[in-house]
Amino acid sequence: MSVSDDDFVALSFSLVEPGENQRWSTWPAITPSERGPRPLPDWVVTSAAAIDSELGIVKTGKEADVFLIERAVPDDPAQSSILAAKRYRGPETSDFHRSAQYREGRRMRNTRDSRAVARGSAYGRSVSAARWAYAEFEALSTMHSLGAAVPYPVQVNGTEVLMEFIGEGVVAAPRLAQVRCSVAELDGYFAQVVEIMRVFAGAGTAHGDLSPYNLLVQRGRVVAIDLPQLVDVVSNPGGMALLQRDCHNVCEWFTRRGLEREEDELFAELVGEVYSRM
């Protein structure tokens, strides 16, 4: 039986055993559909000998927490990368309070799961956690493939999404809301944000919850994060309103900082993008 390059996983084994706050890399155990889009970046570690070491927490939230993970092969510095592990909360700690607004227009194939989610049972809420993880992975995969400035999605496994860590070393990049800069620099940041929104709109979608708090700035580059609620503007009855809210949040923030921008102009431009690709 022949094995293609796409199916190949480096099979090497280590005498080292995972210690506290460590686990074997979950990469070999997941299916190809749960891995990020090809071509894989050269920093993605695929060796079965790799160990995931938890380095701490980056961010807590109502629906998910983000942890810092080092995936590395012991004694092989060439096979090491820092990842962000976004873990969606289970039924005991999360209410997924905004989920219905963003689920409009989406369908679930498994009717048992659909009924459980609708009832809000413990099982249904567990299903919701995994749905959000897979929704974010799919959104990141699509937008990364289209060229949007988003973290590269390495893999999804249950309620955990592993993705590119946006930062320097183990220090997360600041949110746009935290950045202090000149009006000229603001103009450049605005142009980058609009380009991200334009790529989303070209795919018929809107971020749905865009603000300076989920836009990171890494060495002058703006990167959008938190995409699980990515909205289909046409099929979701509230899609246009969510797109307009994104425009309002962005333009209001830049205007308050001295770079006046019109949300209606941006909204009209993005609506044109949505329908020009249909």
Short mmCIF file of all heavy atoms in Angstrom, two decimals, residues 27-35 156:
data_model
loop_
_atom_site.label_atom_id
_atom_site.label_comp_id
_atom_site.label_asym_id
_atom_site.label_seq_id
_atom_site.Cartn_x
_atom_site.Cartn_y
_atom_site.Cartn_z
N TRP A 27 -1.71 15.57 17.43
CA TRP A 27 -1.72 15.63 15.96
C TRP A 27 -1.90 14.26 15.30
O TRP A 27 -2.74 14.10 14.41
CB TRP A 27 -0.45 16.31 15.45
CG TRP A 27 -0.32 16.35 13.97
CD1 TRP A 27 0.25 15.40 13.16
CD2 TRP A 27 -0.79 17.37 13.08
NE1 TRP A 27 0.18 15.78 11.83
CE2 TRP A 27 -0.45 16.98 11.77
CE3 TRP A 27 -1.44 18.59 13.28
CZ2 TRP A 27 -0.76 17.77 10.65
CZ3 TRP A 27 -1.74 19.37 12.17
CH2 TRP A 27 -1.41 18.96 10.88
N PRO A 28 -1.14 13.21 15.70
CA PRO A 28 -1.29 11.92 15.00
C PRO A 28 -2.65 11.28 15.16
O PRO A 28 -3.05 10.45 14.34
CB PRO A 28 -0.20 11.05 15.65
CG PRO A 28 0.77 12.01 16.24
CD PRO A 28 -0.06 13.16 16.70
N ALA A 29 -3.40 11.64 16.21
CA ALA A 29 -4.66 10.97 16.51
C ALA A 29 -5.85 11.55 15.77
O ALA A 29 -6.91 10.92 15.73
CB ALA A 29 -4.93 11.01 18.01
N ILE A 30 -5.70 12.73 15.18
CA ILE A 30 -6.85 13.36 14.54
C ILE A 30 -6.89 13.04 13.05
O ILE A 30 -5.90 12.62 12.46
CB ILE A 30 -6.85 14.88 14.76
CG1 ILE A 30 -5.58 15.51 14.17
CG2 ILE A 30 -6.98 15.21 16.25
CD1 ILE A 30 -5.56 17.01 14.23
N THR A 31 -8.05 13.24 12.45
CA THR A 31 -8.23 12.94 11.04
C THR A 31 -7.72 14.10 10.19
O THR A 31 -7.61 15.23 10.67
CB THR A 31 -9.72 12.70 10.72
OG1 THR A 31 -10.45 13.91 10.96
CG2 THR A 31 -10.29 11.60 11.60
N PRO A 32 -7.42 13.85 8.91
CA PRO A 32 -6.95 14.93 8.03
C PRO A 32 -7.90 16.12 7.97
O PRO A 32 -7.46 17.28 7.85
CB PRO A 32 -6.83 14.24 6.67
CG PRO A 32 -6.52 12.82 7.02
CD PRO A 32 -7.32 12.53 8.25
N SER A 33 -9.22 15.88 8.08
CA SER A 33 -10.19 16.98 8.01
C SER A 33 -10.13 17.87 9.25
O SER A 33 -10.68 18.98 9.24
CB SER A 33 -11.60 16.43 7.83
OG SER A 33 -12.00 15.68 8.97
N GLU A 34 -9.48 17.39 10.30
CA GLU A 34 -9.35 18.17 11.53
C GLU A 34 -8.01 18.91 11.60
O GLU A 34 -7.68 19.49 12.62
CB GLU A 34 -9.51 17.25 12.75
CG GLU A 34 -10.90 16.65 12.87
CD GLU A 34 -10.99 15.57 13.93
OE1 GLU A 34 -10.02 14.80 14.10
OE2 GLU A 34 -12.04 15.51 14.61
N ARG A 35 -7.26 18.87 10.50
CA ARG A 35 -5.98 19.57 10.42
C ARG A 35 -6.11 20.79 9.52
O ARG A 35 -6.98 20.85 8.67
CB ARG A 35 -4.90 18.62 9.90
CG ARG A 35 -4.64 17.45 10.83
CD ARG A 35 -3.73 16.41 10.20
NE ARG A 35 -3.53 15.29 11.09
CZ ARG A 35 -3.10 14.10 10.72
NH1 ARG A 35 -2.82 13.88 9.44
NH2 ARG A 35 -2.93 13.14 11.60
N VAL A 156 -8.22 20.96 15.11
CA VAL A 156 -9.33 20.99 16.05
C VAL A 156 -9.50 19.58 16.59
O VAL A 156 -9.36 18.59 15.86
CB VAL A 156 -10.63 21.50 15.40
CG1 VAL A 156 -11.07 20.60 14.25
CG2 VAL A 156 -11.75 21.65 16.43
#
